[in-house]
Amino acid sequence: MKLAILAGVLATFLTGSASTATAADLTLDLSTRGSGGRIAVAVYRDAESFRRGEGPVASRMVDRTGAVTSVVITGLPPGRYAVAAFHDTDGNGDLTLWPIGLPREAYGFSRNARGRFGPPNFSAAAFALPAAGARQAFALR
């Protein structure tokens, strides 16, 4: 009986350790031309969330540190992801638009994907995040 309990505890411990070991870090190097402000980042795992711009698996708002700002997102499960980011120069926390609906602040997507009339589709921006982690660089324009 004690052996069965010990085996169960050990299995639980090893399973918990294995899930921690499969967490990956994503490093983003975001280049911007503007100065000051903050950079908003959202990481998406599926096409529907990415298309709607809702329900990111991770998001960050960081100070712009120079021409290239690095952001590290830790603890993501390996898989396919797409990233959207914008340079919040006016500090309002939202992507500011011109009256005709076009973005007034610089924005970009992983793999430097661009959409025709709006954001690109998920497959154009998506990349693989292996268990070892990955680095993605893209420009906010």
Side-chain angles (χ1 to χ4, degrees):
M1 182 69 161
K2 289 182 183 180
L3 186 58
I5 293 171
L6 180 59
V9 169
L10 184 58
T12 302
F13 175 73
L14 292 176
T15 303
S17 297
S19 66
T20 303
T22 59
D25 293 346
L26 172 61
T27 302
L28 302 169
D29 296 319
L30 308 171
S31 59
T32 57
R33 290 188 209 149
S35 60
R38 302 189 77 187
I39 296 180
V41 175
V43 180
Y44 298 94
R45 183 133 193 197
D46 64 81
E48 185 61 25
S49 297
F50 183 73
R51 184 185 65 74
R52 287 189 334 257
E54 297 174 355
V57 294
S59 61
R60 302 283 184 280
M61 181 74 87
V62 298
D63 292 334
R64 180 186 176 276
T65 58
V68 176
T69 299
S70 292
V71 180
V72 179
I73 310 291
T74 60
L76 294 171
R80 280 178 54 85
Y81 293 91
V83 178
F86 72 92
H87 184 186
D88 185 18
T89 55
D90 61 13
N92 70 355
D94 293 318
L95 178 63
T96 302
L97 304 175
W98 291 101
I100 60 172
L102 297 175
R104 188 175 190 161
E105 296 172 310
Y107 65 94
F109 303 93
S110 47
R111 298 184 56 213
N112 279 313
R114 296 304 256 183
R116 213 173 196 155
F117 297 104
N121 60 39
F122 181 80
S123 62
F127 58 90
L129 178 65
R135 181 176 289 267
Q136 285 285 312
F138 60 95
L140 306 183
R141 300 178 259 175

